[in-house]
C-alpha cells in the first residue's frame, strides 16, 4: 500500500462563499464557451464523474449519487459547512493559494481555517501590474510603483505566478526588454487602457516576468489548457525553452503549471533544466479515471524530485477533493504496479510518493 500522509497543494484558488444552483455549479466543473451537448450536463465529464465518486461520502451520501441529490444535500448543509467538510476531507495539509482570480473567493486565511490546514499566498503578476496601473498617473510612476510592488509582495508571498501564456502566448522573446522599450510599451498601454483593463502587451509581460525572476521567489508559469478563449497552440511549454535557458543559474526556480495536454513537454523541460519543475495538478483533475496514465507519462521524463502535486482547484471545494483523491489513487496505482512487478522496492516507492506529494513543494517554496 502506497501512503501519502500529507499533501501540499502547491497551486490552487479559494472557493466561492455563495450557494450554487445546478447551472452555476456545473459551470465551474468544465470551462466551456457554451452549453453541454443536448440531453447531457457538464457532470458528464471525467471531472463531473470524479466529483460524484469522491465528494458525496464526505457529505453523508453514497458514492455516484445523482447530481440533483448531491446538490440538495449541499444546500441542506449550507455552503460554509459543506465547504468545511469537503476541504477537511481532502487530506490536504497546506494550500498555496493564487489570489489573482476575480469573484468572491476565500483567501489563504479562510482556506486555512476551513480546511484545518496551513495556507500561503501566491501573487499573480498580471493582476498586480493592473492594480498598480489603476493608481499610477504617469509612465514613470507606473514603472517605479510596479517594481516596488513586486518587491513588497516578495516579502510575504511564497511564489509569483504568471498567465502570460494565456494573455499572449508563451513564445515571448526570452531576454529582458530594454528601458526604452518598456517605457514605450507602458505609455501605449496606459494611454489606451480603461481602469481594470487586462495586461496583454508582450513587452510589459516580459518586463514583469523579469522583475519577478530578480526577486528570487519561485515563478509559476501557466501552460497547456486554460481559459476557453485561450489558444492552446500558444501555451505549449516548449515555447518557453529560450526563456528557461536565459534564467538558468539566476537562482529562481520555474514551475510549469498544469501543462496538459503538453504534460510530457513540461516533464522533459524539468528533466533537462535544474531550475525547472513540472506540476501534475489540473492534468489529473481533467482526466479523471485516466489520471494514472497521465501521471505515469509525467514520471516517464521528469526526475521524481522535480514533480509537484497540486489540485489547480478554483471556486468549488469539490475540486480540491477530486484533485487530492485522484492524485492519491493515481500515484498508488502507478507505484503499486511497479512494486508488484518487481521494478521498484516498496521503500523506494514510499519515498518517491512523499517527494511528489509534499516534500518537493516544501523544498522549492521553503515551507520547512
Amino acid at each position: 500500500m502506497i501512503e501519502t500522509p500529507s499533501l501540499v497543494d502547491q497551486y490552487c484558488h479559494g472557493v466561492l462563499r455563495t450557494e450554487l444552483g445546478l447551472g452555476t455549479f456545473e459551470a465551474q466543473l468544465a470551462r466551456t464557451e457554451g452549453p453541454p451537448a443536448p440531453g447531457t450536463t457538464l457532470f458528464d465529464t471525467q471531472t463531473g464523474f470524479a466529483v460524484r465518486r469522491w465528494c458525496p461520502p464526505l457529505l453523508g451520501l453514497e458514492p455516484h449519487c445523482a447530481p440533483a441529490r448531491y446538490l440538495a444535500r449541499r444546500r441542506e448543509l449550507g455552503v460554509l459547512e459543506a465547504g468545511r467538510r469537503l476541504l477537511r476531507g481532502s487530506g490536504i495539509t497546506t494550500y498555496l493559494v493564487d489570489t489573482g482570480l476575480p469573484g468572491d473567493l476565500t483567501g489563504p486565511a479562510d482556506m486555512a481555517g476551513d480546511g484545518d490546514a496551513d495556507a500561503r499566498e501566491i501573487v499573480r503578476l498580471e493582476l498586480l501590474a493592473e492594480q498598480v496601473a489603476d493608481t499610477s498617473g504617469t509612465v514613470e510612476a507606473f514603472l517605479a510603483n510596479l517594481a516596488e510592488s513586486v518587491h513588497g509582495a516578495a516579502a510575504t508571498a511564497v511564489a509569483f505566478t504568471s498567465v502570460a501564456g494565456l494573455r499572449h502566448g508563451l513564445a515571448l522573446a526570452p531576454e529582458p526588454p530594454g528601458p526604452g522599450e518598456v517605457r514605450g510599451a507602458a505609455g501605449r498601454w496606459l494611454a489606451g487602457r480603461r481602469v481594470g483593463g487586462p495586461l496583454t502587451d508582450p513587452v510589459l509581460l516580459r518586463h514583469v516576468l523579469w522583475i519577478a525572476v530578480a526577486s528570487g521567489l519561485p515563478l509559476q508559469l501557466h501552460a497547456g489548457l486554460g481559459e476557453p478563449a485561450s489558444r492552446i497552440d500558444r501555451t505549449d511549454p516548449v515555447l518557453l525553452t529560450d526563456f528557461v535557458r536565459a534564467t538558468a543559474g539566476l537562482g529562481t526556480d520555474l514551475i510549469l503549471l498544469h501543462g496538459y495536454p503538453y504534460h510530457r513537454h513540461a516533464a522533459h523541460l524539468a528533466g533537462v533544466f535544474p531550475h525547472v519543475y513540472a506540476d501534475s495538478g489540473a492534468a489529473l483533475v481533467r482526466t479523471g479515471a485516466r489520471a494514472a496514465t497521465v501521471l505515469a507519462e509525467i514520471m516517464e521524463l521528469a526526475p521524481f524530485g522535480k514533480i509537484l502535486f497540486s489540485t489547480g482547484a478554483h471556486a468549488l471545494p469539490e475540486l480540491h477533493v477530486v484533485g487530492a483523491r485522484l492524485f492519491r489513487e493515481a500515484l498508488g496505482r502507478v507505484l503499486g504496479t511497479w512494486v508488484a512487478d518487481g521494478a521498484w522496492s516498496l521503500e523506494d516507492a514510499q519515498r518517491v510518493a512523499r517527494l511528489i506529494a509534499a516534500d518537493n513543494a516544501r523544498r522549492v517554496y521553503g515551507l520547512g
Side-chain angles (χ1 to χ4, degrees):
M1 179 67 177
I2 308 300
E3 297 180 357
T4 49
S6 65
L7 295 175
V8 174
D9 188 349
Q10 67 105 25
Y11 184 81
C12 67
H13 302 277
V15 301
L16 287 167
R17 312 168 200 256
T18 52
E19 299 285 358
L20 301 175
L22 178 61
T24 49
F25 187 95
E26 279 188 64
Q28 304 299 331
L29 287 179
R31 298 181 182 183
T32 69
E33 292 193 27
T40 70
T41 76
L42 292 177
F43 272 97
D44 292 324
T45 59
Q46 288 283 7
T47 304
F49 272 45
V51 166
R52 292 177 52 216
R53 165 62 183 91
W54 296 111
C55 296
L58 297 176
L59 303 188
L61 299 171
E62 72 280 4
H64 309 296
C65 73
R69 185 162 182 238
Y70 176 76
L71 293 178
R73 175 59 174 164
R74 202 179 191 272
R75 288 191 297 273
E76 178 186 335
L77 290 170
V79 64
L80 296 179
E81 177 60 21
R84 280 192 291 266
R85 292 191 185 193
L86 290 163
L87 291 177
R88 294 184 183 197
S90 70
I92 295 169
T93 55
T94 302
Y95 295 96
L96 306 188
V97 184
D98 175 1
T99 55
L101 279 185
D104 185 24
L105 300 177
T106 54
D110 287 327
M111 291 293 290
D114 293 343
D116 191 23
D118 295 324
R120 299 285 299 277
E121 182 181 17
I122 299 167
V123 171
R124 184 173 292 208
L125 290 168
E126 290 78 16
L127 176 63
L128 185 62
E130 290 153 10
Q131 291 171 336
V132 170
D134 288 340
T135 58
S136 300
T138 66
V139 169
E140 291 72 20
F142 166 69
L143 295 177
N145 292 341
L146 177 60
E148 182 178 348
S149 295
V150 173
H151 178 75
T156 56
V158 73
F160 288 112
T161 192
S162 171
V163 289
L166 305 181
R167 296 290 184 85
H168 175 78
L170 294 176
L172 295 164
E175 68 278 355
E181 192 179 4
V182 171
R183 283 194 296 272
R188 291 188 297 273
W189 183 54
L190 293 175
R193 177 179 181 269
R194 296 180 179 179
V195 171
L199 174 60
T200 58
D201 183 273
V203 173
L204 293 181
L205 290 171
R206 287 163 54 209
H207 179 61
V208 175
L209 286 176
W210 278 100
I211 296 176
V213 168
S215 77
L217 279 189
L219 174 58
Q220 301 173 338
L221 299 161
H222 289 244
L225 292 176
E227 299 298 327
S230 64
R231 286 276 302 272
I232 190 172
D233 57 316
R234 297 176 180 173
T235 60
D236 187 333
V238 297
L239 298 173
L240 284 167
T241 302
D242 290 339
F243 178 76
V244 168
R245 291 187 187 281
T247 56
L250 299 181
T252 296
D253 289 327
L254 306 179
I255 297 91
L256 304 179
L257 291 178
H258 311 327
Y260 188 80
Y262 304 117
H263 49 289
R264 275 182 162 139
H265 295 178
H268 164 72
L269 291 173
V272 172
F273 296 98
H275 65 307
V276 176
Y277 291 78
D279 169 51
S280 68
L284 306 189
V285 175
R286 287 181 180 273
T287 51
R290 292 278 292 169
T293 300
V294 174
L295 181 61
E297 289 172 348
I298 294 171
M299 295 180 71
E300 288 174 6
L301 295 167
F304 309 130
K306 307 291 289 298
I307 304 170
L308 303 173
F309 159 73
S310 79
T311 64
H314 67 284
L316 301 178
E318 284 84 355
L319 297 179
H320 296 83
V321 172
V322 164
R325 294 299 181 95
L326 287 174
F327 170 75
R328 287 185 190 272
E329 287 286 309
L331 191 65
R333 188 175 302 176
V334 171
L335 298 186
T337 297
W338 294 344
V339 170
D341 290 345
W344 285 36
S345 71
L346 180 59
E347 181 182 8
D348 281 339
Q350 289 287 182
R351 182 175 60 85
V352 169
R354 291 192 296 271
L355 285 174
I356 299 174
D359 290 352
N360 290 338
R362 291 194 180 108
R363 183 182 72 250
V364 170
Y365 298 106
L367 300 178

